[in-house]
Amino acid sequence: YVMPTDNGVTVLPVEGFKRTTWFRIFVDSIMYHSSLLQRIHDARKAIIHRNMDNFGEAGLWEGVFGNPAGAVRNFDEMWSLTEKLVLQLYHEVISDTGRSDGLLMVCLTESVQVHRVHRNQFLANYPHLDPDYAEKRIRAFCITNGIPFFALSPDFLNFNDKTGKPLHGFHGIDNGHFNWDGHRMAAEAIAVQINILLQNK
């Protein structure tokens, strides 16, 4: 449990946390081993979100593409916490290494950003949303705070435009996690950026 501050976050002690840890482990264990409880949990989540558009792939929180008309609750609080955690990490890296370029913030991608077909379909279905919102916001935050930043999306989108190959997904499904090409391209691009930072040491 943390609270955003001007220069990062403050860890908040939680009264009684140790006393309830065993119960949380017990409940989680039952949940993980019960198909029925998992289906009930899924149904509950579906009911909670039935009035909200599914703005992205499975596992993405809804605020990743913006918040038109205030549809996403706690949007500003979620983003503030994310940014403050990045800032806290940056300050700790500076403290440990004595270098302001000791941390490289790398922004990964989603298929709606870097697969042209998905991107065009997303923009047509959700003209009020921005598939690059999260990247733009993190980039602006990092620039403002002097944090080295690198985004994979330009190279990924260029690769997809030239080859038509997806960089996300497996076995005919072209969304989700990086596939082999996605991992290879990400590793090579990040290595280049790290070398640039090291050369400037």
Side-chain angles (χ1 to χ4, degrees):
Y1 294 87
V2 295
M3 176 181 292
T5 64
D6 290 340
N7 294 312
V9 296
T10 297
V11 178
L12 303 176
V14 179
E15 291 287 335
F17 178 74
K18 291 183 179 179
R19 294 197 301 271
T20 60
T21 298
W22 68 269
F23 180 72
R24 181 73 262 173
I25 294 174
F26 175 71
V27 171
D28 287 346
S29 178
I30 293 177
M31 180 68 73
Y32 295 151
H33 292 88
S34 172
S35 179
L36 175 61
L37 288 179
Q38 290 173 18
R39 299 295 77 76
I40 293 174
H41 180 65
D42 290 343
R44 177 178 173 273
K45 288 195 298 183
I47 292 172
I48 291 174
H49 294 284
R50 68 182 182 275
N51 294 323
M52 298 181 67
D53 288 334
N54 179 17
F55 292 162
E57 299 165 4
L60 296 177
W61 54 280
E62 289 84 349
V64 74
F65 301 123
N67 189 27
V72 181
R73 294 180 302 169
N74 302 320
F75 177 82
D76 292 327
E77 291 85 353
M78 289 191 295
W79 268 108
S80 176
L81 180 58
T82 300
E83 292 164 345
K84 296 298 184 175
L85 285 168
V86 172
L87 190 61
Q88 179 84 9
L89 177 61
Y90 181 54
H91 288 157
E92 290 180 1
V93 169
I94 292 177
S95 176
D96 289 345
T97 66
R99 295 182 54 189
S100 62
D101 61 353
L103 172 72
L104 175 64
M105 182 70 182
V106 179
C107 193
L108 306 184
T109 63
E110 303 162 31
S111 64
V112 296
Q113 284 182 283
V114 299
H115 296 179
R116 183 62 68 180
V117 172
H118 290 189
R119 185 180 182 90
N120 291 343
Q121 183 178 8
F122 178 91
L123 292 171
N125 292 340
Y126 305 107
H128 54 298
L129 297 177
D130 181 358
D132 302 313
Y133 177 85
E135 179 181 308
K136 291 175 181 176
R137 179 153 183 163
I138 291 292
R139 179 193 299 276
F141 179 80
C142 287
I143 290 174
T144 298
N145 290 279
I147 303 172
F149 176 88
F150 175 64
L152 293 169
S153 62
D155 290 340
F156 274 37
L157 186 58
N158 184 52
F159 174 86
N160 182 255
D161 283 339
K162 288 183 177 179
T163 67
K165 293 182 179 180
L167 293 162
H168 291 255
F170 301 89
H171 309 297
I173 300 175
D174 55 356
N175 60 38
H177 292 287
F178 288 162
N179 58 25
W180 189 90
D181 283 324
H183 279 288
R184 175 183 55 79
M185 285 193 62
E188 292 173 354
I190 294 170
V192 169
Q193 296 301 311
I194 291 175
N195 283 331
I196 292 173
L197 289 177
L198 291 175
Q199 290 172 6
N200 294 331
K201 181 176 179 181

